[in-house]
Amino acid sequence: MTLRTGPEHGFWARKLLEAEGVDPNGLWLDAYGHVERGVALAMRGFDSEHPALVNGAVSIASEILRRWRTPRPELVAGLVRCLESGGTEARGDAALALADLVSADSTQDITSAVRALIVAADDSYDRVAGPAALALARLGHPGVLGPVHRWLASSSRLPFFQVTSLGQVLQPLVGRADELLPDIRRMLVDSAGQEALRPVLSALAAWGPAASEAVPELLSTLATRNVRWACDVLGAVGPAAAPAANTLCGFVHGVTQPPRHDGGRLPLDRPRRWHGAQHAAWAHWRITGESKVFMAFLEDEASRGLGYADLGRLAELGPQAMRCASALRPLLESPGPWTRVRAAHAWWRITGDTDAAVPVLLAALDPLRSGDADGPCREAVRCIAQIGAPAVAAAPLLQATLSSDRCFPADVYPAARAALAAFDEGPGHRRTAPMSTPRCPTSHQ
């Protein structure tokens, strides 16, 4: 369970509070009763001519908007003013704050920011341009395409992003894949071995089959230090990546030794399985539909306890992975929350047993009670949505989360709604399950 132990104001926020004569330890932005005071302080900072105080206003406004769903058009307007006229650091932070507000469930209207975001995305400072382009991409605004094409055209000299990445900007643009792929394919050739290409490859993996036109270039990337990321893309593409199947099988069995992520290779007198073999085995299965290579890898891992296995990908196999179940079961009691949640999901997918899996997932929801949702918690919500009725005890907590004024990460809302819908569709569902409903945190303790 994640609990805040005190104010966590950043450097610039503290500068503003000190200038206003406010004790930083006396302002708790995660306590609703303190929010109006925080808004007033931020607005005074936005009106200041002192760059440090403007930076502080951006910091406080960002914290309030990140934590609470109450519409705050005055804070959004302040961020837009800062983006239009502030210093480089304040403009970059304001653009990033605006980008963080874009989601289907956002209660904040940033329509007024679009014009300033388009101008900022064309800025020569990547600290400003990157976050501005990210906001436009998430909005689905065509104003992002010019900067993206320019960055893609840099080819062998990939741009360096300080607070975002080109991959983050590309990921929401899957609907523009046909338009962007020619430039991306050139970049894959010109920058095949550059470490900065990895976020772009991660975006292509998120695109899945939409990235299939890039398969020829991805095959070349298999011979570079970015091979592990290329495997993920090819697996996400699926059957259209069939030309890669034999190469991937060779990686898994050690017939071919690809470069390590740092560009080196293992000494020939020390044969050892390539560290990315799991990625290649998974990709081989996704491409060919044949699980033999992937299962052989996983069974070998299971003999050592599955400590290094990707449990999410193990779960994808479902009942085919039954021979790994005995090694998987102890991981439901792992000290690591990520491991517990992913093991519970894999256990359910493989065995169909909810009695052991559901309590682990319900326990992982605990951060929701205090207005937080860490990675394992969000993963648990997604798993519960798949399980449906057997996890109906989560219903009150998920309902309270959806109605809370606390602002949760964007992926919580669709997953929580999907879970509640699954409970309604399941046999014998009931919404009065015995799981205590959280209160909306309004004061610090």
PDB file of all heavy atoms in Angstrom, residues 297-315:
ATOM      1  N   PHE A 297      11.606 -23.401 -24.083  1.00  0.00           N
ATOM      2  CA  PHE A 297      12.332 -22.374 -23.329  1.00  0.00           C
ATOM      3  C   PHE A 297      11.744 -22.233 -21.928  1.00  0.00           C
ATOM      4  O   PHE A 297      12.469 -22.211 -20.929  1.00  0.00           O
ATOM      5  CB  PHE A 297      12.270 -21.038 -24.065  1.00  0.00           C
ATOM      6  CG  PHE A 297      12.873 -19.904 -23.302  1.00  0.00           C
ATOM      7  CD1 PHE A 297      14.213 -19.590 -23.446  1.00  0.00           C
ATOM      8  CD2 PHE A 297      12.117 -19.156 -22.400  1.00  0.00           C
ATOM      9  CE1 PHE A 297      14.785 -18.553 -22.715  1.00  0.00           C
ATOM     10  CE2 PHE A 297      12.676 -18.131 -21.669  1.00  0.00           C
ATOM     11  CZ  PHE A 297      14.015 -17.831 -21.829  1.00  0.00           C
ATOM     12  N   LEU A 298      10.424 -22.125 -21.835  1.00  0.00           N
ATOM     13  CA  LEU A 298       9.778 -21.901 -20.549  1.00  0.00           C
ATOM     14  C   LEU A 298       9.945 -23.095 -19.614  1.00  0.00           C
ATOM     15  O   LEU A 298      10.127 -22.929 -18.400  1.00  0.00           O
ATOM     16  CB  LEU A 298       8.296 -21.604 -20.761  1.00  0.00           C
ATOM     17  CG  LEU A 298       7.991 -20.236 -21.403  1.00  0.00           C
ATOM     18  CD1 LEU A 298       6.520 -20.137 -21.770  1.00  0.00           C
ATOM     19  CD2 LEU A 298       8.379 -19.094 -20.466  1.00  0.00           C
ATOM     20  N   GLU A 299       9.900 -24.289 -20.159  1.00  0.00           N
ATOM     21  CA  GLU A 299      10.085 -25.469 -19.317  1.00  0.00           C
ATOM     22  C   GLU A 299      11.507 -25.518 -18.762  1.00  0.00           C
ATOM     23  O   GLU A 299      11.731 -25.929 -17.607  1.00  0.00           O
ATOM     24  CB  GLU A 299       9.764 -26.729 -20.107  1.00  0.00           C
ATOM     25  CG  GLU A 299       8.270 -26.893 -20.358  1.00  0.00           C
ATOM     26  CD  GLU A 299       7.967 -28.019 -21.335  1.00  0.00           C
ATOM     27  OE1 GLU A 299       8.878 -28.832 -21.614  1.00  0.00           O
ATOM     28  OE2 GLU A 299       6.831 -28.080 -21.827  1.00  0.00           O
ATOM     29  N   ASP A 300      12.453 -25.072 -19.562  1.00  0.00           N
ATOM     30  CA  ASP A 300      13.828 -24.998 -19.073  1.00  0.00           C
ATOM     31  C   ASP A 300      13.926 -23.973 -17.947  1.00  0.00           C
ATOM     32  O   ASP A 300      14.591 -24.199 -16.932  1.00  0.00           O
ATOM     33  CB  ASP A 300      14.759 -24.648 -20.231  1.00  0.00           C
ATOM     34  CG  ASP A 300      16.219 -24.676 -19.811  1.00  0.00           C
ATOM     35  OD1 ASP A 300      16.624 -25.630 -19.128  1.00  0.00           O
ATOM     36  OD2 ASP A 300      16.957 -23.723 -20.147  1.00  0.00           O
ATOM     37  N   GLU A 301      13.239 -22.823 -18.124  1.00  0.00           N
ATOM     38  CA  GLU A 301      13.207 -21.806 -17.071  1.00  0.00           C
ATOM     39  C   GLU A 301      12.514 -22.352 -15.820  1.00  0.00           C
ATOM     40  O   GLU A 301      12.940 -22.083 -14.702  1.00  0.00           O
ATOM     41  CB  GLU A 301      12.479 -20.560 -17.574  1.00  0.00           C
ATOM     42  CG  GLU A 301      13.281 -19.699 -18.525  1.00  0.00           C
ATOM     43  CD  GLU A 301      14.486 -19.067 -17.847  1.00  0.00           C
ATOM     44  OE1 GLU A 301      14.314 -18.374 -16.826  1.00  0.00           O
ATOM     45  OE2 GLU A 301      15.612 -19.299 -18.320  1.00  0.00           O
ATOM     46  N   ALA A 302      11.424 -23.102 -16.031  1.00  0.00           N
ATOM     47  CA  ALA A 302      10.677 -23.634 -14.889  1.00  0.00           C
ATOM     48  C   ALA A 302      11.534 -24.557 -14.041  1.00  0.00           C
ATOM     49  O   ALA A 302      11.366 -24.643 -12.815  1.00  0.00           O
ATOM     50  CB  ALA A 302       9.431 -24.366 -15.380  1.00  0.00           C
ATOM     51  N   SER A 303      12.467 -25.234 -14.664  1.00  0.00           N
ATOM     52  CA  SER A 303      13.350 -26.128 -13.902  1.00  0.00           C
ATOM     53  C   SER A 303      14.234 -25.357 -12.949  1.00  0.00           C
ATOM     54  O   SER A 303      14.785 -25.928 -12.006  1.00  0.00           O
ATOM     55  CB  SER A 303      14.207 -26.960 -14.871  1.00  0.00           C
ATOM     56  OG  SER A 303      15.159 -26.134 -15.545  1.00  0.00           O
ATOM     57  N   ARG A 304      14.356 -24.030 -13.195  1.00  0.00           N
ATOM     58  CA  ARG A 304      15.148 -23.169 -12.303  1.00  0.00           C
ATOM     59  C   ARG A 304      14.262 -22.227 -11.504  1.00  0.00           C
ATOM     60  O   ARG A 304      14.758 -21.293 -10.878  1.00  0.00           O
ATOM     61  CB  ARG A 304      16.172 -22.376 -13.123  1.00  0.00           C
ATOM     62  CG  ARG A 304      17.260 -23.245 -13.742  1.00  0.00           C
ATOM     63  CD  ARG A 304      18.351 -22.382 -14.372  1.00  0.00           C
ATOM     64  NE  ARG A 304      17.902 -21.746 -15.583  1.00  0.00           N
ATOM     65  CZ  ARG A 304      18.009 -22.300 -16.798  1.00  0.00           C
ATOM     66  NH1 ARG A 304      18.551 -23.501 -16.919  1.00  0.00           N
ATOM     67  NH2 ARG A 304      17.598 -21.662 -17.870  1.00  0.00           N
ATOM     68  N   GLY A 305      12.943 -22.411 -11.591  1.00  0.00           N
ATOM     69  CA  GLY A 305      12.035 -21.640 -10.753  1.00  0.00           C
ATOM     70  C   GLY A 305      11.340 -20.474 -11.420  1.00  0.00           C
ATOM     71  O   GLY A 305      10.662 -19.697 -10.741  1.00  0.00           O
ATOM     72  N   LEU A 306      11.464 -20.286 -12.705  1.00  0.00           N
ATOM     73  CA  LEU A 306      10.810 -19.199 -13.449  1.00  0.00           C
ATOM     74  C   LEU A 306      11.214 -17.806 -12.965  1.00  0.00           C
ATOM     75  O   LEU A 306      10.504 -16.841 -13.204  1.00  0.00           O
ATOM     76  CB  LEU A 306       9.269 -19.326 -13.358  1.00  0.00           C
ATOM     77  CG  LEU A 306       8.629 -20.497 -14.104  1.00  0.00           C
ATOM     78  CD1 LEU A 306       7.129 -20.549 -13.809  1.00  0.00           C
ATOM     79  CD2 LEU A 306       8.854 -20.370 -15.604  1.00  0.00           C
ATOM     80  N   GLY A 307      12.347 -17.737 -12.278  1.00  0.00           N
ATOM     81  CA  GLY A 307      12.748 -16.448 -11.717  1.00  0.00           C
ATOM     82  C   GLY A 307      12.982 -15.369 -12.746  1.00  0.00           C
ATOM     83  O   GLY A 307      12.815 -14.179 -12.461  1.00  0.00           O
ATOM     84  N   TYR A 308      13.380 -15.755 -13.967  1.00  0.00           N
ATOM     85  CA  TYR A 308      13.670 -14.753 -14.998  1.00  0.00           C
ATOM     86  C   TYR A 308      12.673 -14.818 -16.152  1.00  0.00           C
ATOM     87  O   TYR A 308      12.877 -14.201 -17.187  1.00  0.00           O
ATOM     88  CB  TYR A 308      15.090 -14.957 -15.526  1.00  0.00           C
ATOM     89  CG  TYR A 308      16.146 -14.712 -14.474  1.00  0.00           C
ATOM     90  CD1 TYR A 308      16.736 -15.773 -13.793  1.00  0.00           C
ATOM     91  CD2 TYR A 308      16.527 -13.419 -14.131  1.00  0.00           C
ATOM     92  CE1 TYR A 308      17.685 -15.558 -12.810  1.00  0.00           C
ATOM     93  CE2 TYR A 308      17.472 -13.193 -13.149  1.00  0.00           C
ATOM     94  CZ  TYR A 308      18.053 -14.261 -12.493  1.00  0.00           C
ATOM     95  OH  TYR A 308      18.984 -14.040 -11.511  1.00  0.00           O
ATOM     96  N   ALA A 309      11.600 -15.554 -15.971  1.00  0.00           N
ATOM     97  CA  ALA A 309      10.610 -15.682 -17.041  1.00  0.00           C
ATOM     98  C   ALA A 309       9.686 -14.475 -17.053  1.00  0.00           C
ATOM     99  O   ALA A 309       9.366 -13.896 -16.006  1.00  0.00           O
ATOM    100  CB  ALA A 309       9.789 -16.953 -16.862  1.00  0.00           C
ATOM    101  N   ASP A 310       9.247 -14.087 -18.247  1.00  0.00           N
ATOM    102  CA  ASP A 310       8.247 -13.034 -18.393  1.00  0.00           C
ATOM    103  C   ASP A 310       6.882 -13.684 -18.136  1.00  0.00           C
ATOM    104  O   ASP A 310       6.339 -14.375 -18.992  1.00  0.00           O
ATOM    105  CB  ASP A 310       8.310 -12.442 -19.803  1.00  0.00           C
ATOM    106  CG  ASP A 310       7.370 -11.252 -19.974  1.00  0.00           C
ATOM    107  OD1 ASP A 310       6.285 -11.262 -19.361  1.00  0.00           O
ATOM    108  OD2 ASP A 310       7.713 -10.338 -20.742  1.00  0.00           O
ATOM    109  N   LEU A 311       6.339 -13.452 -16.957  1.00  0.00           N
ATOM    110  CA  LEU A 311       5.107 -14.131 -16.565  1.00  0.00           C
ATOM    111  C   LEU A 311       3.908 -13.654 -17.375  1.00  0.00           C
ATOM    112  O   LEU A 311       2.944 -14.409 -17.552  1.00  0.00           O
ATOM    113  CB  LEU A 311       4.853 -13.929 -15.075  1.00  0.00           C
ATOM    114  CG  LEU A 311       5.950 -14.464 -14.148  1.00  0.00           C
ATOM    115  CD1 LEU A 311       5.585 -14.217 -12.692  1.00  0.00           C
ATOM    116  CD2 LEU A 311       6.179 -15.957 -14.383  1.00  0.00           C
ATOM    117  N   GLY A 312       3.968 -12.422 -17.871  1.00  0.00           N
ATOM    118  CA  GLY A 312       2.885 -11.940 -18.716  1.00  0.00           C
ATOM    119  C   GLY A 312       2.802 -12.723 -20.012  1.00  0.00           C
ATOM    120  O   GLY A 312       1.710 -13.073 -20.483  1.00  0.00           O
ATOM    121  N   ARG A 313       3.954 -13.037 -20.575  1.00  0.00           N
ATOM    122  CA  ARG A 313       3.972 -13.804 -21.823  1.00  0.00           C
ATOM    123  C   ARG A 313       3.707 -15.284 -21.563  1.00  0.00           C
ATOM    124  O   ARG A 313       3.134 -15.974 -22.409  1.00  0.00           O
ATOM    125  CB  ARG A 313       5.299 -13.572 -22.546  1.00  0.00           C
ATOM    126  CG  ARG A 313       5.379 -12.148 -23.080  1.00  0.00           C
ATOM    127  CD  ARG A 313       6.667 -11.813 -23.780  1.00  0.00           C
ATOM    128  NE  ARG A 313       6.556 -10.495 -24.402  1.00  0.00           N
ATOM    129  CZ  ARG A 313       7.540  -9.873 -25.021  1.00  0.00           C
ATOM    130  NH1 ARG A 313       8.735 -10.449 -25.125  1.00  0.00           N
ATOM    131  NH2 ARG A 313       7.350  -8.684 -25.554  1.00  0.00           N
ATOM    132  N   LEU A 314       4.097 -15.752 -20.410  1.00  0.00           N
ATOM    133  CA  LEU A 314       3.725 -17.117 -20.027  1.00  0.00           C
ATOM    134  C   LEU A 314       2.205 -17.231 -19.953  1.00  0.00           C
ATOM    135  O   LEU A 314       1.610 -18.218 -20.422  1.00  0.00           O
ATOM    136  CB  LEU A 314       4.357 -17.457 -18.676  1.00  0.00           C
ATOM    137  CG  LEU A 314       3.918 -18.758 -18.000  1.00  0.00           C
ATOM    138  CD1 LEU A 314       4.320 -19.962 -18.850  1.00  0.00           C
ATOM    139  CD2 LEU A 314       4.522 -18.861 -16.603  1.00  0.00           C
ATOM    140  N   ALA A 315       1.565 -16.207 -19.402  1.00  0.00           N
ATOM    141  CA  ALA A 315       0.102 -16.220 -19.268  1.00  0.00           C
ATOM    142  C   ALA A 315      -0.586 -16.296 -20.628  1.00  0.00           C
ATOM    143  O   ALA A 315      -1.660 -16.899 -20.752  1.00  0.00           O
ATOM    144  CB  ALA A 315      -0.368 -14.981 -18.513  1.00  0.00           C
TER     145      ALA A 315
END
